[in-house]
Amino acid sequence: MRRILDTLYGAAGLLAGVCTIGVLVSVLAAILARQFNWNIQGTDAYAGYFMAAAGFLALASTFKHGEHIRVTLLLNSLKPAASRRLDIFALAAGALLAAAFAFFSFKLMLDSHTFNDISTSNDATPLWIPQASMAAGTLLFFIAIVDELVRRIRGYNAPTSQQTHE
């Protein structure tokens, strides 16, 4: 199961990187089109879609690699047992928030599909398509937090960015 989850987080991180390249390509296409007086509809909107997808798809991977901002001043000042309990509590609260975020992201995507919402820019993209990356990213983030919560309950330490880069 560990290998499957880590592969899933890694694949989402890789896809986030591809989306970042999509931002670059969209912006470069818009710049080149303006230089040659061409009109490529939707390049600005697609750059935004790719940027949002990159951010949401990277959530789980960055979390599991200890790259999210984590304020450890309070945790480090407590005794180990109290620090562990507070860490578990914070992860449980984070899991609840991430579950709500994932639920409402999926609801937004499904509502957009049901009501045939389209982008207001000139590309007229059905909004459920870019919203799918948000829904997938928030679901993976929820899974990653629950995964880390279970690991912490079992006694494993929090990942740090130094541990994951060695």
Side-chain angles (χ1 to χ4, degrees), residues 20-22 30 39 46 50 55 57 59 63 73 94 96 100 114 124 132 134-135:
T20 302
I21 294 169
N39 181 23
Y46 280 97
F50 281 126
L57 291 171
L59 284 173
F63 177 75
L73 183 65
L96 288 174
T114 300
M134 180 175 75

Side-chain angles (χ1 to χ4, degrees), residues 14 32-33 40 61-62 66-67 72 74 88-89 99 106 109 114 137 140 157 160-161:
L14 182 64
L32 289 173
I40 303 176
S61 179
T62 52
E67 297 292 338
T72 57
L74 181 59
I88 289 170
F89 172 77
F106 270 92
M109 180 190 70
T114 300
L140 284 174
N157 291 328
T160 63
S161 59

Side-chain angles (χ1 to χ4, degrees), residues 8-9 56 59-60 98-99 101-103 105-106 132-146:
L8 191 60
Y9 305 143
F56 283 105
L59 284 173
F101 197 16
F103 173 81
S105 295
F106 270 92
S133 64
M134 180 175 75
T138 56
L139 177 63
L140 284 174
F141 185 52
F142 167 69
I143 292 168
I145 291 178
V146 171

Side-chain angles (χ1 to χ4, degrees), residues 39-143:
N39 181 23
I40 303 176
Q41 293 186 346
T43 53
D44 294 339
Y46 280 97
Y49 301 151
F50 281 126
M51 188 178 299
F56 283 105
L57 291 171
L59 284 173
S61 179
T62 52
F63 177 75
K64 290 302 287 184
H65 284 93
E67 297 292 338
H68 281 210
I69 295 172
R70 184 176 168 92
V71 181
T72 57
L73 183 65
L74 181 59
L75 287 174
N76 291 339
S77 68
L78 297 173
K79 292 180 180 177
S83 176
R84 182 174 180 274
R85 284 192 299 269
L86 180 59
D87 198 24
I88 289 170
F89 172 77
L91 284 167
L96 288 174
L97 290 171
F101 197 16
F103 173 81
F104 287 107
S105 295
F106 270 92
K107 184 177 181 334
L108 176 66
M109 180 190 70
L110 292 174
D111 287 348
S112 291
H113 185 268
T114 300
F115 298 119
N116 296 316
D117 285 343
I118 60 168
S119 169
T120 57
S121 66
N122 58 5
D123 66 310
T125 299
L127 287 177
W128 71 267
I129 297 171
Q131 289 168 351
S133 64
M134 180 175 75
T138 56
L139 177 63
L140 284 174
F141 185 52
F142 167 69
I143 292 168

